[in-house]
Amino acid sequence: MPNQFNANPASGFDDPTIQIADPSFGNAIKAGYQGPMASYEDHALVGPVDLLRNGHVNYGVSPNFTLPLYYGMSASNKSYWWIVTDTSDQGNAQQLGLNFSPKLRFAAQGVAGNGMTGAEQLNIVNNTVYGRRGLVDFSPVRHLVPGNSTPFPPASVQPGSVGDGEYTPLLQLKNAGYEVWNAPIVAGDVDDNYLNQFCDGVPAAQAADFYSKVHDQVLSICPRDSIVTLDTVRGFSFGKSVLYLVADGSDPLPATIDGGTYAPRLKLVQTGADDALFSGVERFFVNTNGYTNGDLPGGAPNNETHHPWRQGLNSAVLGEGDPLNILGAIPTVGFDYSPLWNFELWTWTDYSIKNGIRTRLTGEFEVLGMAAAGYITDPNGDPLSDAGIINNCPIVHRFL
């Protein structure tokens, strides 16, 4: 049958609950033209939407995103390479194709005893930021060892890149209205001649050396063309399948699992307030013990190997795929989007698992409802709460 689900991973449709092979499946309509999606006319309606518009999504089994690459010189005269994804400046967000996040303006609070905040204050000089102090060490080798009784929590973690005490992806531009910009560093003190070897990807034989200088999410980098391509991560927002980038994390654990830079300074960003007045964060619901592919009984249709409800950190640590986290508001869905996602870890109770209640959740209010009913808790068996962790994950694309 031409509209039968194709379980071949090379097809790009290897998870039937995230992607559907053809809209004609399951009805009498032949595959072919069925008119444009409603989102092409109104982004609030159903259909795909490019949210981060300064680049383009490259679709396939493992979608990725190509966007502009910028060169910088630090206060210590070291070069670095960086990207821009979000800003609290609405006009420039629209003009540059960035995500607009009004909450980012409040991420500059959280003053430490030495006066340091979550954002580094800089000036624009000759069309670039000047004097950035915080930098990233890309030399560590990312390392993740699954736990003994369960894969999560892992036995040990080592992020593949670590920011120094002054590094933050957030820049507050003093001579541009004190707006905050999300500007993660993706490569360290390395010249363009070296990086231009990787305009078409990273050969396996050179991967170890490359990733000792470059962010683990980078798939290709090309100063010659001023572009970089990063891997994307799948997740959900209010039932909609989405793609986002992983840039940085305030804790070594998610930075290692997700392949981001461990950025301790992000701990200065205040957590736990979600949509309250002056909050700079948005909630991010991360499951620990959902189904893994190993839970799929034998004899699945179409030789399927993915559990249709796979989700969570146990599965991710096993290398089965993205944890399929649940994001709060994203642009076109709400006004309270922030790329600074505040973790709330949730765990299915023994009762839920034993009685077949465990499933895949895809929306914030599903999680909150299940928590209120007692079917899920935090990993310690306590009520759902703020884990005190920030991940910098700019939204890229909405599928529906």
Side-chain angles (χ1 to χ4, degrees), residues 368-376:
L368 298 178
M370 284 291 194
Y375 293 112
I376 64 175

Side-chain angles (χ1 to χ4, degrees), residues 140-212:
V141 177
R142 183 183 174 198
H143 185 64
L144 176 66
V145 178
N148 295 321
S149 58
T150 58
F152 180 87
S156 66
V157 296
Q158 171 59 61
S161 51
V162 178
D164 61 29
E166 294 189 279
Y167 169 70
T168 171
L170 307 177
L171 304 181
Q172 187 173 38
L173 302 181
K174 296 186 290 184
N175 60 349
Y178 281 83
E179 301 289 358
V180 174
W181 297 68
N182 191 10
I185 293 177
V186 296
D189 190 15
V190 56
D191 65 34
D192 53 352
N193 289 325
Y194 174 84
L195 293 178
N196 280 328
Q197 300 177 80
F198 306 99
C199 288
D200 298 319
V202 184
Q206 295 176 271
D209 184 65
F210 177 80
Y211 287 112
S212 71

Side-chain angles (χ1 to χ4, degrees), residues 51-76:
L51 300 171
L52 184 56
R53 297 172 293 107
N54 65 339
H56 62 270
V57 177
N58 307 297
Y59 297 98
V61 176
S62 300
N64 51 67
F65 187 70
T66 301
L67 72 165
L69 176 70
Y70 302 97
Y71 173 80
M73 183 64 69
S74 73
S76 56

